[in-house]
Amino acid sequence: MQRPPCPRPPGLPRWVAMFHQPAQDSWTVGAESPERAPVLYAVGDMTQTVRARGEEVTVALWGPKDGAWHLFDAPAGRASAPAPATSADRPAPGAGEPAKLAERMTDRRHQVLMAGLSKAGLYDLSAEDGEAVRTMADLLDEPTVRRVAHWLSAAGGGR
């Protein structure tokens, strides 16, 4: 099956994973970062989640090349990029499904917050900022995280 054409993301070149939504025949930003590794990690997690639902995944990976946007081949399956969290944040091997689901939801909330910060124009975060985002992702429920991300996006003018 041929991949539908993916539009270039708006704004300055950075790493962006775009996911195709067949029901709406549209593309949506799934993850974005000035660094490639977190985007590849997110692609792996999101791909695994969508495939677990029995759905097909179509991903386009955009990134900077020579100062301009470039469409790269999207990675298949789980990316081998390093995880944004440390191994101490992850459940022990063999942990049950509830722990994996909780981890996946925390990672999703983290991505939503990072996308909101990015849309607000905050790309270069310090280690202290990263820890604050991780703490918020751990403590807040998904609707609250989405609301905070919406505020950040509105504050950034929908960049």
Side-chain angles (χ1 to χ4, degrees):
M1 181 170 136
Q2 187 175 348
R3 176 171 63 186
C6 179
R8 184 185 71 145
L12 297 174
R14 61 200 178 281
W15 291 99
V16 177
M18 303 280 287
F19 285 78
H20 185 256
Q21 298 175 321
Q24 293 86 17
D25 193 27
S26 66
W27 289 87
T28 185
V29 173
E32 59 184 305
S33 173
E35 302 296 324
R36 185 176 189 201
V39 173
L40 291 178
Y41 179 80
V43 166
D45 267 2
M46 289 183 232
T47 299
Q48 184 178 18
T49 300
V50 172
R51 286 186 179 154
R53 292 184 204 139
E55 299 172 19
E56 285 299 313
V57 179
T58 304
V59 182
L61 180 64
W62 287 90
K65 183 175 182 184
D66 300 325
W69 282 107
H70 180 76
L71 180 60
F72 292 86
D73 286 333
R78 178 168 283 283
S80 59
T86 66
S87 59
D89 296 331
R90 304 288 182 205
E97 284 301 312
K100 282 188 173 195
L101 177 60
E103 174 189 354
R104 188 177 308 138
M105 293 306 293
T106 298
D107 287 345
R108 182 178 296 166
R109 290 189 304 269
H110 183 266
Q111 278 297 320
V112 168
L113 288 168
M114 292 302 290
L117 288 167
S118 177
K119 287 182 180 182
L122 302 170
Y123 303 106
D124 190 21
L125 300 179
S126 69
E128 184 178 328
D129 295 330
E131 183 59 33
V133 171
R134 178 56 65 188
T135 300
M136 286 176 37
D138 287 342
L139 297 175
L140 300 177
D141 63 2
E142 192 159 346
T144 304
V145 165
R146 289 189 184 283
R147 195 72 198 147
V148 169
H150 170 75
W151 294 336
L152 290 168
S153 179
R159 292 179 195 194

